[in-house]
Amino acid sequence: MARPGRVAGKQALITGAAGGLGEAMAWMLAREGARVAVTDLNAGGAEALAAAINAELPAAAFAYAHDVTDEAAWVSVVERAVADMDGLSILVNNAGIGCDFVWSEQDTLENWRRVQAVNVESVMFGCKHAMPHLRASGAGSIVNISSVAGLAAAPGMGAYNATKAAVWMYTKTVALEAAKGDWNVRCNSVHPVFIKTPILDPFIAMAGGDEAKAHERLSRGIPLKRIGEPNDVAYCVLYLASDESKFVTGAEFKIDGGMLAQ
Ligand SMILES: NC(=O)c1ccc[n+]([C@@H]2O[C@H](COP(=O)([O-])OP(=O)(O)OC[C@H]3O[C@@H](n4cnc5c(N)ncnc54)[C@H](O)[C@@H]3O)[C@@H](O)[C@H]2O)c1
């Protein structure tokens, strides 16, 4: 019998879920009634998370080693997740990396391609290989994790800006295709500003290892004067994953403390 909650009985696959935002999303979706497939390059981290979730919510979580840049790995992970969870109704394309901080004249194809592969190509693979199962679920939802950096640029962030803008627009293409096909699959993007996860480690290093100083610096352009918590993003993903958002598709959600309102 399905556990109660806002996503009761649903089956979610979350990439890059060994830590950071993906971990928070996995806990939230599982506590709200979904079964969750947590995937990551860091297989040990994904397994530890699934074990912790299962200790609280028996048989709610499954873990898979997964490099999201590898299309063959997508085929196998989606197949295994569908078999283990008895279907797939939610895909969260969350795995992502930052880029080297370099201005365009110094940028390299290696930096550019590395970030494109993890942040953009993975989203195309995920939408492609999950779609048949999301359609079969009768009410599917794709949530693509972009960034405020997909909507506003910053010097030295060219490769990352370009990937997150691509995810923003590709989300709309998939949403319109699904709507045109009457598949009952929705696709939306989420755009966080700085959130406390390991992805901010380079900023802490730049502040000489002083975390509070780094967070204070990162908060300066944010009207709410602080950086975000992983659950600030996870709550938005929960809404988009649930049927509460059944009339919402092709939309972007800024989780940015008011930053892009300026
Ligand atoms: N935290 C922020 O400030 C912030 C802001 C805006 C957007 N984002 C986006 O949110 C998403 C999650 O970021 P986070 O903050 O949790 O970062 P994080 O570094 O804490 O977690 C990212 C996870 O992705 C995994 N990963 C990296 N490359 C992978 C690959 N090739 N295949 C599979 N997994 C891989 C990592 O092992 C890690 O567990 C990313 O797409 C990121 O760009 C984060």
Side-chain angles (χ1 to χ4, degrees), residues 15-23 25 39-43 45-46 65-70 74 93-98 114 117-119 122 144-149 160 163-164 190-201 203 218 227-228 230 233 255:
T15 65
L21 300 185
E23 180 180 2
M25 294 166 196
T39 86
D40 206 291
L41 204 52
N42 172 2
H66 184 196
D67 179 349
V68 293
T69 67
D70 177 349
W74 266 106
N93 281 308
N94 167 71
I97 56 172
R114 184 175 57 86
V118 181
N119 292 6
S122 65
N144 292 328
I145 307 302
S146 175
S147 169
V148 291
Y160 189 76
T163 62
K164 293 302 187 179
V190 174
H191 301 256
V193 75
F194 303 115
I195 312 286
K196 282 175 209 160
T197 75
I199 214 170
L200 299 187
D201 288 351
F203 295 98
L218 293 173
I227 66 170
V233 179
I255 311 292

Side-chain angles (χ1 to χ4, degrees), residues 5-100:
R6 291 168 62 186
V7 283
K10 292 187 181 287
Q11 307 102 332
L13 191 159
I14 307 160
T15 65
L21 300 185
E23 180 180 2
M25 294 166 196
W27 273 111
M28 192 168 287
L29 291 174
R31 284 179 176 145
E32 289 290 342
R35 269 167 286 173
V36 293
V38 294
T39 86
D40 206 291
L41 204 52
N42 172 2
E47 276 159 22
L49 173 62
I53 293 173
N54 286 331
E56 181 180 309
L57 305 161
F62 303 85
Y64 310 96
H66 184 196
D67 179 349
V68 293
T69 67
D70 177 349
E71 185 165 15
W74 266 106
V75 172
S76 122
V77 163
V78 166
E79 255 176 34
R80 289 170 62 201
V82 167
D84 287 341
M85 298 193 295
D86 199 21
L88 182 66
S89 46
I90 299 161
L91 169 67
V92 187
N93 281 308
N94 167 71
I97 56 172
C99 66
D100 294 342

